[in-house]
Amino acid sequence: MTELASLYQTDYSQWTQRNAELLRAGRFEELDIEHLLEELSDMSKSDRRELHSRFLILIAHLLKWQFQYQTLSERWREFKGDSWRSTIIEQRQQISVLLRKSPDLKSVLEETSIDAYADAVELAHKETRLARTTFPNACPYSIKQLLDDGFYPDR
């Protein structure tokens, strides 16, 4: 194991600084290529995990909006769903920022939303105590709807 590869295990911050210095100096043969590739791959995974998480929360709140809002607003006259609306707005904004910073994620929007849907149903089920069968088997919202600031599903 090279000194630089060993540094990766013991002092990550120093490892990143050292690799940056080597890159700037054009000393490519001294780079810790194996760990650099691992880190670059993980950066992409991190963005995908964040996108999944944002979709999970967004979809869960859209499901609650669609399938529970009417019941709550009938029970409590003052219920307007403001906290749900705030969460929906925030998740859409954060997805927009993520897509602006990592435009390559646009290619996995559909796949990620489909993957997040089962988790979103589970979250909506736990938060609302509505039966899982209340919610559709597949995500009822298109990517365009999910990202549309003006879209709120019919109640």
Side-chain angles (χ1 to χ4, degrees), residues 49-96:
R49 281 191 297 272
E50 181 179 353
L51 184 62
H52 179 276
S53 177
R54 300 287 179 186
F55 270 138
L56 185 159
I57 296 167
L58 173 61
I59 294 168
H61 278 74
L62 290 172
L63 289 169
K64 291 184 339 182
W65 186 274
Q66 184 172 1
F67 294 98
Q68 190 184 38
Y69 184 100
Q70 190 67 39
T71 304
L72 294 180
S73 64
E74 288 171 0
R75 195 176 311 161
W76 299 301
R77 182 166 280 162
E78 69 278 0
F79 182 80
K80 296 182 213 145
D82 290 341
S83 66
W84 292 351
R85 185 185 314 273
S86 294
T87 299
I88 290 168
I89 290 168
E90 178 185 355
Q91 295 310 309
R92 285 178 170 152
Q93 178 62 33
Q94 292 299 328
I95 290 170
S96 176

mmCIF file of all heavy atoms in Angstrom, residues 49-96:
data_model
loop_
_atom_site.group_PDB
_atom_site.id
_atom_site.type_symbol
_atom_site.label_atom_id
_atom_site.label_comp_id
_atom_site.label_asym_id
_atom_site.label_seq_id
_atom_site.Cartn_x
_atom_site.Cartn_y
_atom_site.Cartn_z
ATOM 1 N N ARG A 49 -28.787 9.393 -3.864
ATOM 2 C CA ARG A 49 -29.450 9.155 -2.577
ATOM 3 C C ARG A 49 -30.246 10.387 -2.156
ATOM 4 O O ARG A 49 -31.364 10.266 -1.642
ATOM 5 C CB ARG A 49 -28.436 8.778 -1.493
ATOM 6 C CG ARG A 49 -27.974 7.332 -1.563
ATOM 7 C CD ARG A 49 -27.175 6.939 -0.318
ATOM 8 N NE ARG A 49 -25.950 7.704 -0.167
ATOM 9 C CZ ARG A 49 -24.778 7.362 -0.698
ATOM 10 N NH1 ARG A 49 -24.676 6.258 -1.421
ATOM 11 N NH2 ARG A 49 -23.719 8.099 -0.507
ATOM 12 N N GLU A 50 -29.675 11.563 -2.363
ATOM 13 C CA GLU A 50 -30.399 12.784 -2.007
ATOM 14 C C GLU A 50 -31.640 12.944 -2.871
ATOM 15 O O GLU A 50 -32.712 13.291 -2.362
ATOM 16 C CB GLU A 50 -29.519 14.025 -2.137
ATOM 17 C CG GLU A 50 -30.278 15.270 -1.733
ATOM 18 C CD GLU A 50 -29.478 16.556 -1.795
ATOM 19 O OE1 GLU A 50 -28.259 16.516 -2.030
ATOM 20 O OE2 GLU A 50 -30.103 17.617 -1.606
ATOM 21 N N LEU A 51 -31.533 12.683 -4.164
ATOM 22 C CA LEU A 51 -32.691 12.773 -5.052
ATOM 23 C C LEU A 51 -33.777 11.801 -4.610
ATOM 24 O O LEU A 51 -34.959 12.153 -4.557
ATOM 25 C CB LEU A 51 -32.271 12.503 -6.500
ATOM 26 C CG LEU A 51 -33.361 12.645 -7.558
ATOM 27 C CD1 LEU A 51 -33.894 14.080 -7.612
ATOM 28 C CD2 LEU A 51 -32.824 12.224 -8.935
ATOM 29 N N HIS A 52 -33.390 10.581 -4.267
ATOM 30 C CA HIS A 52 -34.342 9.576 -3.782
ATOM 31 C C HIS A 52 -35.045 10.094 -2.533
ATOM 32 O O HIS A 52 -36.274 10.011 -2.417
ATOM 33 C CB HIS A 52 -33.613 8.262 -3.498
ATOM 34 C CG HIS A 52 -34.507 7.180 -2.985
ATOM 35 N ND1 HIS A 52 -34.848 7.068 -1.656
ATOM 36 C CD2 HIS A 52 -35.143 6.170 -3.619
ATOM 37 C CE1 HIS A 52 -35.645 6.036 -1.496
ATOM 38 N NE2 HIS A 52 -35.848 5.470 -2.667
ATOM 39 N N SER A 53 -34.284 10.615 -1.605
ATOM 40 C CA SER A 53 -34.841 11.123 -0.356
ATOM 41 C C SER A 53 -35.815 12.271 -0.603
ATOM 42 O O SER A 53 -36.900 12.330 0.000
ATOM 43 C CB SER A 53 -33.700 11.588 0.556
ATOM 44 O OG SER A 53 -34.206 12.145 1.734
ATOM 45 N N ARG A 54 -35.454 13.181 -1.483
ATOM 46 C CA ARG A 54 -36.329 14.321 -1.804
ATOM 47 C C ARG A 54 -37.627 13.838 -2.452
ATOM 48 O O ARG A 54 -38.707 14.321 -2.113
ATOM 49 C CB ARG A 54 -35.617 15.312 -2.710
ATOM 50 C CG ARG A 54 -34.365 15.914 -2.132
ATOM 51 C CD ARG A 54 -34.663 16.898 -1.055
ATOM 52 N NE ARG A 54 -33.436 17.445 -0.491
ATOM 53 C CZ ARG A 54 -33.407 18.236 0.544
ATOM 54 N NH1 ARG A 54 -34.531 18.593 1.146
ATOM 55 N NH2 ARG A 54 -32.267 18.672 1.009
ATOM 56 N N PHE A 55 -37.520 12.891 -3.383
ATOM 57 C CA PHE A 55 -38.719 12.343 -4.025
ATOM 58 C C PHE A 55 -39.588 11.605 -3.005
ATOM 59 O O PHE A 55 -40.808 11.713 -3.035
ATOM 60 C CB PHE A 55 -38.366 11.401 -5.172
ATOM 61 C CG PHE A 55 -38.234 12.074 -6.509
ATOM 62 C CD1 PHE A 55 -37.208 11.736 -7.371
ATOM 63 C CD2 PHE A 55 -39.151 13.027 -6.934
ATOM 64 C CE1 PHE A 55 -37.093 12.341 -8.624
ATOM 65 C CE2 PHE A 55 -39.049 13.640 -8.165
ATOM 66 C CZ PHE A 55 -38.009 13.302 -9.017
ATOM 67 N N LEU A 56 -38.969 10.858 -2.123
ATOM 68 C CA LEU A 56 -39.720 10.120 -1.106
ATOM 69 C C LEU A 56 -40.606 11.081 -0.302
ATOM 70 O O LEU A 56 -41.804 10.855 -0.158
ATOM 71 C CB LEU A 56 -38.730 9.404 -0.184
ATOM 72 C CG LEU A 56 -39.278 8.473 0.890
ATOM 73 C CD1 LEU A 56 -38.199 7.498 1.323
ATOM 74 C CD2 LEU A 56 -39.825 9.183 2.084
ATOM 75 N N ILE A 57 -40.028 12.145 0.195
ATOM 76 C CA ILE A 57 -40.782 13.101 1.009
ATOM 77 C C ILE A 57 -41.818 13.841 0.171
ATOM 78 O O ILE A 57 -42.969 14.008 0.591
ATOM 79 C CB ILE A 57 -39.815 14.075 1.713
ATOM 80 C CG1 ILE A 57 -38.941 13.295 2.696
ATOM 81 C CG2 ILE A 57 -40.586 15.185 2.427
ATOM 82 C CD1 ILE A 57 -37.747 14.066 3.210
ATOM 83 N N LEU A 58 -41.433 14.263 -1.016
ATOM 84 C CA LEU A 58 -42.364 14.970 -1.901
ATOM 85 C C LEU A 58 -43.566 14.094 -2.238
ATOM 86 O O LEU A 58 -44.724 14.521 -2.096
ATOM 87 C CB LEU A 58 -41.647 15.399 -3.187
ATOM 88 C CG LEU A 58 -42.520 15.998 -4.290
ATOM 89 C CD1 LEU A 58 -43.217 17.272 -3.823
ATOM 90 C CD2 LEU A 58 -41.675 16.267 -5.536
ATOM 91 N N ILE A 59 -43.327 12.882 -2.673
ATOM 92 C CA ILE A 59 -44.418 11.988 -3.068
ATOM 93 C C ILE A 59 -45.298 11.649 -1.872
ATOM 94 O O ILE A 59 -46.529 11.641 -1.985
ATOM 95 C CB ILE A 59 -43.870 10.712 -3.753
ATOM 96 C CG1 ILE A 59 -43.210 11.081 -5.095
ATOM 97 C CG2 ILE A 59 -44.979 9.691 -3.964
ATOM 98 C CD1 ILE A 59 -42.385 9.955 -5.715
ATOM 99 N N ALA A 60 -44.689 11.398 -0.713
ATOM 100 C CA ALA A 60 -45.486 11.093 0.488
ATOM 101 C C ALA A 60 -46.431 12.252 0.810
ATOM 102 O O ALA A 60 -47.596 12.031 1.143
ATOM 103 C CB ALA A 60 -44.570 10.795 1.673
ATOM 104 N N HIS A 61 -45.955 13.464 0.684
ATOM 105 C CA HIS A 61 -46.803 14.613 0.993
ATOM 106 C C HIS A 61 -47.875 14.834 -0.075
ATOM 107 O O HIS A 61 -48.989 15.249 0.246
ATOM 108 C CB HIS A 61 -45.953 15.858 1.219
ATOM 109 C CG HIS A 61 -45.400 15.911 2.604
ATOM 110 N ND1 HIS A 61 -44.363 15.107 3.015
ATOM 111 C CD2 HIS A 61 -45.781 16.627 3.685
ATOM 112 C CE1 HIS A 61 -44.112 15.347 4.294
ATOM 113 N NE2 HIS A 61 -44.960 16.254 4.719
ATOM 114 N N LEU A 62 -47.547 14.539 -1.316
ATOM 115 C CA LEU A 62 -48.573 14.627 -2.363
ATOM 116 C C LEU A 62 -49.654 13.567 -2.133
ATOM 117 O O LEU A 62 -50.847 13.826 -2.341
ATOM 118 C CB LEU A 62 -47.949 14.485 -3.752
ATOM 119 C CG LEU A 62 -47.092 15.662 -4.214
ATOM 120 C CD1 LEU A 62 -46.366 15.317 -5.513
ATOM 121 C CD2 LEU A 62 -47.926 16.930 -4.393
ATOM 122 N N LEU A 63 -49.243 12.382 -1.695
ATOM 123 C CA LEU A 63 -50.217 11.331 -1.388
ATOM 124 C C LEU A 63 -51.108 11.741 -0.221
ATOM 125 O O LEU A 63 -52.329 11.559 -0.257
ATOM 126 C CB LEU A 63 -49.503 10.013 -1.071
ATOM 127 C CG LEU A 63 -48.838 9.302 -2.243
ATOM 128 C CD1 LEU A 63 -47.942 8.167 -1.752
ATOM 129 C CD2 LEU A 63 -49.855 8.806 -3.248
ATOM 130 N N LYS A 64 -50.508 12.299 0.812
ATOM 131 C CA LYS A 64 -51.299 12.765 1.948
ATOM 132 C C LYS A 64 -52.269 13.862 1.498
ATOM 133 O O LYS A 64 -53.421 13.883 1.917
ATOM 134 C CB LYS A 64 -50.376 13.283 3.063
ATOM 135 C CG LYS A 64 -49.596 12.176 3.721
ATOM 136 C CD LYS A 64 -48.715 12.537 4.896
ATOM 137 C CE LYS A 64 -48.261 13.920 5.088
ATOM 138 N NZ LYS A 64 -47.368 14.083 6.254
ATOM 139 N N TRP A 65 -51.773 14.753 0.656
ATOM 140 C CA TRP A 65 -52.617 15.829 0.121
ATOM 141 C C TRP A 65 -53.816 15.240 -0.620
ATOM 142 O O TRP A 65 -54.943 15.660 -0.433
ATOM 143 C CB TRP A 65 -51.781 16.702 -0.822
ATOM 144 C CG TRP A 65 -52.492 17.910 -1.329
ATOM 145 C CD1 TRP A 65 -53.319 17.987 -2.421
ATOM 146 C CD2 TRP A 65 -52.448 19.224 -0.773
ATOM 147 N NE1 TRP A 65 -53.777 19.260 -2.566
ATOM 148 C CE2 TRP A 65 -53.267 20.050 -1.563
ATOM 149 C CE3 TRP A 65 -51.804 19.787 0.325
ATOM 150 C CZ2 TRP A 65 -53.449 21.398 -1.315
ATOM 151 C CZ3 TRP A 65 -51.978 21.126 0.576
ATOM 152 C CH2 TRP A 65 -52.794 21.920 -0.228
ATOM 153 N N GLN A 66 -53.560 14.257 -1.438
ATOM 154 C CA GLN A 66 -54.614 13.684 -2.269
ATOM 155 C C GLN A 66 -55.570 12.795 -1.471
ATOM 156 O O GLN A 66 -56.778 12.839 -1.696
ATOM 157 C CB GLN A 66 -53.996 12.872 -3.414
ATOM 158 C CG GLN A 66 -55.024 12.325 -4.380
ATOM 159 C CD GLN A 66 -54.389 11.695 -5.607
ATOM 160 O OE1 GLN A 66 -53.172 11.647 -5.753
ATOM 161 N NE2 GLN A 66 -55.229 11.221 -6.503
ATOM 162 N N PHE A 67 -55.046 12.011 -0.553
ATOM 163 C CA PHE A 67 -55.877 10.980 0.069
ATOM 164 C C PHE A 67 -56.315 11.272 1.510
ATOM 165 O O PHE A 67 -57.179 10.581 2.022
ATOM 166 C CB PHE A 67 -55.161 9.626 0.015
ATOM 167 C CG PHE A 67 -55.002 9.131 -1.393
ATOM 168 C CD1 PHE A 67 -53.812 9.314 -2.084
ATOM 169 C CD2 PHE A 67 -56.059 8.510 -2.044
ATOM 170 C CE1 PHE A 67 -53.673 8.871 -3.396
ATOM 171 C CE2 PHE A 67 -55.926 8.068 -3.353
ATOM 172 C CZ PHE A 67 -54.729 8.254 -4.027
ATOM 173 N N GLN A 68 -55.729 12.287 2.146
ATOM 174 C CA GLN A 68 -56.142 12.564 3.520
ATOM 175 C C GLN A 68 -56.640 13.992 3.736
ATOM 176 O O GLN A 68 -57.369 14.249 4.684
ATOM 177 C CB GLN A 68 -54.989 12.301 4.493
ATOM 178 C CG GLN A 68 -55.453 12.334 5.949
ATOM 179 C CD GLN A 68 -54.323 12.178 6.936
ATOM 180 O OE1 GLN A 68 -53.234 12.694 6.740
ATOM 181 N NE2 GLN A 68 -54.591 11.472 8.028
ATOM 182 N N TYR A 69 -56.286 14.907 2.880
ATOM 183 C CA TYR A 69 -56.619 16.314 3.085
ATOM 184 C C TYR A 69 -58.114 16.526 3.321
ATOM 185 O O TYR A 69 -58.514 17.203 4.259
ATOM 186 C CB TYR A 69 -56.158 17.132 1.869
ATOM 187 C CG TYR A 69 -56.373 18.618 2.031
ATOM 188 C CD1 TYR A 69 -55.311 19.430 2.392
ATOM 189 C CD2 TYR A 69 -57.608 19.210 1.809
ATOM 190 C CE1 TYR A 69 -55.490 20.800 2.544
ATOM 191 C CE2 TYR A 69 -57.796 20.561 1.962
ATOM 192 C CZ TYR A 69 -56.729 21.360 2.328
ATOM 193 O OH TYR A 69 -56.912 22.704 2.484
ATOM 194 N N GLN A 70 -58.936 15.943 2.467
ATOM 195 C CA GLN A 70 -60.389 16.145 2.565
ATOM 196 C C GLN A 70 -60.926 15.713 3.934
ATOM 197 O O GLN A 70 -61.703 16.433 4.557
ATOM 198 C CB GLN A 70 -61.111 15.391 1.440
ATOM 199 C CG GLN A 70 -62.583 15.723 1.318
ATOM 200 C CD GLN A 70 -62.796 17.173 0.863
ATOM 201 O OE1 GLN A 70 -62.065 17.685 0.032
ATOM 202 N NE2 GLN A 70 -63.802 17.825 1.423
ATOM 203 N N THR A 71 -60.476 14.568 4.401
ATOM 204 C CA THR A 71 -60.930 14.059 5.694
ATOM 205 C C THR A 71 -60.564 15.017 6.819
ATOM 206 O O THR A 71 -61.393 15.328 7.680
ATOM 207 C CB THR A 71 -60.303 12.678 5.974
ATOM 208 O OG1 THR A 71 -60.629 11.808 4.904
ATOM 209 C CG2 THR A 71 -60.784 12.093 7.282
ATOM 210 N N LEU A 72 -59.335 15.492 6.806
ATOM 211 C CA LEU A 72 -58.889 16.396 7.870
ATOM 212 C C LEU A 72 -59.570 17.753 7.792
ATOM 213 O O LEU A 72 -59.915 18.340 8.816
ATOM 214 C CB LEU A 72 -57.368 16.558 7.828
ATOM 215 C CG LEU A 72 -56.559 15.307 8.155
ATOM 216 C CD1 LEU A 72 -55.066 15.600 8.077
ATOM 217 C CD2 LEU A 72 -56.916 14.746 9.518
ATOM 218 N N SER A 73 -59.762 18.262 6.582
ATOM 219 C CA SER A 73 -60.388 19.579 6.463
ATOM 220 C C SER A 73 -61.865 19.541 6.847
ATOM 221 O O SER A 73 -62.420 20.538 7.289
ATOM 222 C CB SER A 73 -60.204 20.147 5.050
ATOM 223 O OG SER A 73 -60.868 19.357 4.096
ATOM 224 N N GLU A 74 -62.502 18.379 6.686
ATOM 225 C CA GLU A 74 -63.893 18.241 7.126
ATOM 226 C C GLU A 74 -63.969 18.138 8.646
ATOM 227 O O GLU A 74 -64.888 18.647 9.266
ATOM 228 C CB GLU A 74 -64.531 17.000 6.493
ATOM 229 C CG GLU A 74 -64.811 17.158 5.020
ATOM 230 C CD GLU A 74 -65.250 15.871 4.340
ATOM 231 O OE1 GLU A 74 -65.351 14.812 5.023
ATOM 232 O OE2 GLU A 74 -65.475 15.903 3.122
ATOM 233 N N ARG A 75 -62.981 17.487 9.244
ATOM 234 C CA ARG A 75 -62.961 17.286 10.684
ATOM 235 C C ARG A 75 -62.564 18.566 11.427
ATOM 236 O O ARG A 75 -63.108 18.890 12.465
ATOM 237 C CB ARG A 75 -61.980 16.167 11.032
ATOM 238 C CG ARG A 75 -62.155 15.652 12.443
ATOM 239 C CD ARG A 75 -61.261 14.474 12.762
ATOM 240 N NE ARG A 75 -61.316 13.437 11.742
ATOM 241 C CZ ARG A 75 -60.399 12.492 11.585
ATOM 242 N NH1 ARG A 75 -59.359 12.451 12.376
ATOM 243 N NH2 ARG A 75 -60.513 11.590 10.654
ATOM 244 N N TRP A 76 -61.567 19.262 10.861
ATOM 245 C CA TRP A 76 -61.086 20.488 11.495
ATOM 246 C C TRP A 76 -61.197 21.622 10.485
ATOM 247 O O TRP A 76 -60.432 21.703 9.529
ATOM 248 C CB TRP A 76 -59.636 20.342 11.936
ATOM 249 C CG TRP A 76 -59.420 19.272 12.942
ATOM 250 C CD1 TRP A 76 -59.997 19.169 14.174
ATOM 251 C CD2 TRP A 76 -58.564 18.135 12.809
ATOM 252 N NE1 TRP A 76 -59.555 18.061 14.815
ATOM 253 C CE2 TRP A 76 -58.669 17.396 14.009
ATOM 254 C CE3 TRP A 76 -57.726 17.666 11.808
ATOM 255 C CZ2 TRP A 76 -57.964 16.221 14.224
ATOM 256 C CZ3 TRP A 76 -57.026 16.512 12.014
ATOM 257 C CH2 TRP A 76 -57.144 15.788 13.213
ATOM 258 N N ARG A 77 -62.116 22.490 10.723
ATOM 259 C CA ARG A 77 -62.389 23.587 9.798
ATOM 260 C C ARG A 77 -61.134 24.412 9.509
ATOM 261 O O ARG A 77 -60.943 24.903 8.395
ATOM 262 C CB ARG A 77 -63.496 24.467 10.373
ATOM 263 C CG ARG A 77 -63.875 25.600 9.448
ATOM 264 C CD ARG A 77 -65.161 26.223 9.864
ATOM 265 N NE ARG A 77 -66.219 25.346 9.347
ATOM 266 C CZ ARG A 77 -67.458 25.354 9.784
ATOM 267 N NH1 ARG A 77 -67.818 26.159 10.736
ATOM 268 N NH2 ARG A 77 -68.360 24.557 9.265
ATOM 269 N N GLU A 78 -60.253 24.563 10.517
ATOM 270 C CA GLU A 78 -59.064 25.402 10.348
ATOM 271 C C GLU A 78 -57.929 24.704 9.596
ATOM 272 O O GLU A 78 -56.935 25.322 9.254
ATOM 273 C CB GLU A 78 -58.561 25.897 11.712
ATOM 274 C CG GLU A 78 -57.973 24.840 12.626
ATOM 275 C CD GLU A 78 -59.029 24.038 13.405
ATOM 276 O OE1 GLU A 78 -60.238 24.282 13.263
ATOM 277 O OE2 GLU A 78 -58.631 23.113 14.133
ATOM 278 N N PHE A 79 -58.064 23.397 9.319
ATOM 279 C CA PHE A 79 -56.995 22.671 8.620
ATOM 280 C C PHE A 79 -56.932 23.099 7.157
ATOM 281 O O PHE A 79 -57.909 22.993 6.422
ATOM 282 C CB PHE A 79 -57.208 21.151 8.699
ATOM 283 C CG PHE A 79 -56.101 20.382 8.041
ATOM 284 C CD1 PHE A 79 -54.902 20.176 8.711
ATOM 285 C CD2 PHE A 79 -56.227 19.910 6.749
ATOM 286 C CE1 PHE A 79 -53.867 19.495 8.110
ATOM 287 C CE2 PHE A 79 -55.192 19.228 6.135
ATOM 288 C CZ PHE A 79 -54.006 19.015 6.825
ATOM 289 N N LYS A 80 -55.776 23.609 6.771
ATOM 290 C CA LYS A 80 -55.587 24.052 5.382
ATOM 291 C C LYS A 80 -54.427 23.336 4.690
ATOM 292 O O LYS A 80 -54.155 23.597 3.545
ATOM 293 C CB LYS A 80 -55.339 25.558 5.346
ATOM 294 C CG LYS A 80 -56.497 26.381 5.820
ATOM 295 C CD LYS A 80 -56.154 27.854 5.697
ATOM 296 C CE LYS A 80 -56.835 28.596 6.815
ATOM 297 N NZ LYS A 80 -56.095 29.704 7.330
ATOM 298 N N GLY A 81 -53.712 22.503 5.430
ATOM 299 C CA GLY A 81 -52.588 21.780 4.841
ATOM 300 C C GLY A 81 -51.354 22.632 4.631
ATOM 301 O O GLY A 81 -50.512 22.307 3.796
ATOM 302 N N ASP A 82 -51.232 23.740 5.397
ATOM 303 C CA ASP A 82 -50.098 24.650 5.200
ATOM 304 C C ASP A 82 -48.745 23.979 5.399
ATOM 305 O O ASP A 82 -47.807 24.243 4.646
ATOM 306 C CB ASP A 82 -50.214 25.861 6.130
ATOM 307 C CG ASP A 82 -51.348 26.794 5.735
ATOM 308 O OD1 ASP A 82 -51.817 26.719 4.584
ATOM 309 O OD2 ASP A 82 -51.766 27.609 6.593
ATOM 310 N N SER A 83 -48.627 23.113 6.397
ATOM 311 C CA SER A 83 -47.325 22.465 6.627
ATOM 312 C C SER A 83 -47.005 21.495 5.487
ATOM 313 O O SER A 83 -45.844 21.373 5.080
ATOM 314 C CB SER A 83 -47.291 21.745 7.973
ATOM 315 O OG SER A 83 -48.188 20.659 7.983
ATOM 316 N N TRP A 84 -48.021 20.824 4.975
ATOM 317 C CA TRP A 84 -47.794 19.932 3.827
ATOM 318 C C TRP A 84 -47.361 20.742 2.617
ATOM 319 O O TRP A 84 -46.437 20.379 1.909
ATOM 320 C CB TRP A 84 -49.057 19.147 3.493
ATOM 321 C CG TRP A 84 -49.473 18.145 4.510
ATOM 322 C CD1 TRP A 84 -48.778 17.729 5.613
ATOM 323 C CD2 TRP A 84 -50.696 17.423 4.522
ATOM 324 N NE1 TRP A 84 -49.497 16.797 6.303
ATOM 325 C CE2 TRP A 84 -50.691 16.585 5.662
ATOM 326 C CE3 TRP A 84 -51.804 17.401 3.693
ATOM 327 C CZ2 TRP A 84 -51.737 15.735 5.979
ATOM 328 C CZ3 TRP A 84 -52.854 16.559 4.008
ATOM 329 C CH2 TRP A 84 -52.815 15.737 5.136
ATOM 330 N N ARG A 85 -48.066 21.863 2.389
ATOM 331 C CA ARG A 85 -47.733 22.729 1.255
ATOM 332 C C ARG A 85 -46.283 23.210 1.377
ATOM 333 O O ARG A 85 -45.529 23.194 0.406
ATOM 334 C CB ARG A 85 -48.688 23.910 1.181
ATOM 335 C CG ARG A 85 -48.482 24.792 -0.045
ATOM 336 C CD ARG A 85 -49.361 26.042 -0.034
ATOM 337 N NE ARG A 85 -50.740 25.787 0.324
ATOM 338 C CZ ARG A 85 -51.697 25.424 -0.546
ATOM 339 N NH1 ARG A 85 -51.395 25.266 -1.812
ATOM 340 N NH2 ARG A 85 -52.930 25.234 -0.134
ATOM 341 N N SER A 86 -45.880 23.617 2.578
ATOM 342 C CA SER A 86 -44.503 24.077 2.794
ATOM 343 C C SER A 86 -43.493 22.986 2.485
ATOM 344 O O SER A 86 -42.460 23.246 1.867
ATOM 345 C CB SER A 86 -44.324 24.548 4.242
ATOM 346 O OG SER A 86 -45.091 25.695 4.482
ATOM 347 N N THR A 87 -43.794 21.778 2.923
ATOM 348 C CA THR A 87 -42.883 20.658 2.662
ATOM 349 C C THR A 87 -42.809 20.356 1.169
ATOM 350 O O THR A 87 -41.721 20.114 0.636
ATOM 351 C CB THR A 87 -43.327 19.406 3.446
ATOM 352 O OG1 THR A 87 -43.288 19.714 4.840
ATOM 353 C CG2 THR A 87 -42.431 18.217 3.150
ATOM 354 N N ILE A 88 -43.933 20.379 0.487
ATOM 355 C CA ILE A 88 -43.959 20.137 -0.961
ATOM 356 C C ILE A 88 -43.130 21.202 -1.680
ATOM 357 O O ILE A 88 -42.307 20.891 -2.550
ATOM 358 C CB ILE A 88 -45.414 20.092 -1.475
ATOM 359 C CG1 ILE A 88 -46.107 18.824 -0.965
ATOM 360 C CG2 ILE A 88 -45.467 20.180 -3.005
ATOM 361 C CD1 ILE A 88 -47.622 18.810 -1.152
ATOM 362 N N ILE A 89 -43.327 22.454 -1.305
ATOM 363 C CA ILE A 89 -42.572 23.559 -1.923
ATOM 364 C C ILE A 89 -41.077 23.377 -1.674
ATOM 365 O O ILE A 89 -40.259 23.506 -2.595
ATOM 366 C CB ILE A 89 -43.056 24.918 -1.372
ATOM 367 C CG1 ILE A 89 -44.465 25.219 -1.897
ATOM 368 C CG2 ILE A 89 -42.091 26.043 -1.727
ATOM 369 C CD1 ILE A 89 -45.165 26.378 -1.196
ATOM 370 N N GLU A 90 -40.706 23.080 -0.432
ATOM 371 C CA GLU A 90 -39.293 22.924 -0.092
ATOM 372 C C GLU A 90 -38.651 21.771 -0.857
ATOM 373 O O GLU A 90 -37.537 21.902 -1.382
ATOM 374 C CB GLU A 90 -39.117 22.687 1.404
ATOM 375 C CG GLU A 90 -37.663 22.477 1.784
ATOM 376 C CD GLU A 90 -37.458 22.118 3.237
ATOM 377 O OE1 GLU A 90 -38.425 22.119 4.022
ATOM 378 O OE2 GLU A 90 -36.301 21.832 3.586
ATOM 379 N N GLN A 91 -39.326 20.628 -0.941
ATOM 380 C CA GLN A 91 -38.750 19.477 -1.643
ATOM 381 C C GLN A 91 -38.576 19.776 -3.125
ATOM 382 O O GLN A 91 -37.547 19.418 -3.713
ATOM 383 C CB GLN A 91 -39.594 18.223 -1.423
ATOM 384 C CG GLN A 91 -39.621 17.752 0.022
ATOM 385 C CD GLN A 91 -38.242 17.635 0.643
ATOM 386 O OE1 GLN A 91 -37.344 17.019 0.080
ATOM 387 N NE2 GLN A 91 -38.072 18.238 1.804
ATOM 388 N N ARG A 92 -39.552 20.428 -3.726
ATOM 389 C CA ARG A 92 -39.424 20.795 -5.146
ATOM 390 C C ARG A 92 -38.254 21.755 -5.347
ATOM 391 O O ARG A 92 -37.499 21.626 -6.313
ATOM 392 C CB ARG A 92 -40.727 21.407 -5.652
ATOM 393 C CG ARG A 92 -41.799 20.376 -5.879
ATOM 394 C CD ARG A 92 -43.092 20.996 -6.335
ATOM 395 N NE ARG A 92 -44.025 19.959 -6.777
ATOM 396 C CZ ARG A 92 -45.333 20.082 -6.725
ATOM 397 N NH1 ARG A 92 -45.898 21.194 -6.265
ATOM 398 N NH2 ARG A 92 -46.106 19.087 -7.153
ATOM 399 N N GLN A 93 -38.103 22.706 -4.436
ATOM 400 C CA GLN A 93 -36.989 23.652 -4.529
ATOM 401 C C GLN A 93 -35.656 22.938 -4.392
ATOM 402 O O GLN A 93 -34.720 23.187 -5.158
ATOM 403 C CB GLN A 93 -37.124 24.747 -3.458
ATOM 404 C CG GLN A 93 -35.990 25.750 -3.447
ATOM 405 C CD GLN A 93 -35.885 26.530 -4.741
ATOM 406 O OE1 GLN A 93 -36.892 26.807 -5.382
ATOM 407 N NE2 GLN A 93 -34.676 26.864 -5.143
ATOM 408 N N GLN A 94 -35.555 22.039 -3.436
ATOM 409 C CA GLN A 94 -34.301 21.320 -3.226
ATOM 410 C C GLN A 94 -33.972 20.402 -4.410
ATOM 411 O O GLN A 94 -32.799 20.246 -4.768
ATOM 412 C CB GLN A 94 -34.345 20.524 -1.916
ATOM 413 C CG GLN A 94 -34.375 21.398 -0.676
ATOM 414 C CD GLN A 94 -33.156 22.292 -0.545
ATOM 415 O OE1 GLN A 94 -32.053 21.932 -0.959
ATOM 416 N NE2 GLN A 94 -33.343 23.468 0.015
ATOM 417 N N ILE A 95 -34.987 19.801 -5.010
ATOM 418 C CA ILE A 95 -34.761 18.981 -6.211
ATOM 419 C C ILE A 95 -34.270 19.874 -7.343
ATOM 420 O O ILE A 95 -33.338 19.515 -8.072
ATOM 421 C CB ILE A 95 -36.041 18.211 -6.615
ATOM 422 C CG1 ILE A 95 -36.329 17.102 -5.593
ATOM 423 C CG2 ILE A 95 -35.897 17.615 -8.022
ATOM 424 C CD1 ILE A 95 -37.695 16.438 -5.752
ATOM 425 N N SER A 96 -34.858 21.036 -7.483
ATOM 426 C CA SER A 96 -34.440 21.979 -8.516
ATOM 427 C C SER A 96 -32.976 22.385 -8.339
ATOM 428 O O SER A 96 -32.202 22.415 -9.309
ATOM 429 C CB SER A 96 -35.345 23.218 -8.480
ATOM 430 O OG SER A 96 -34.911 24.178 -9.398
#
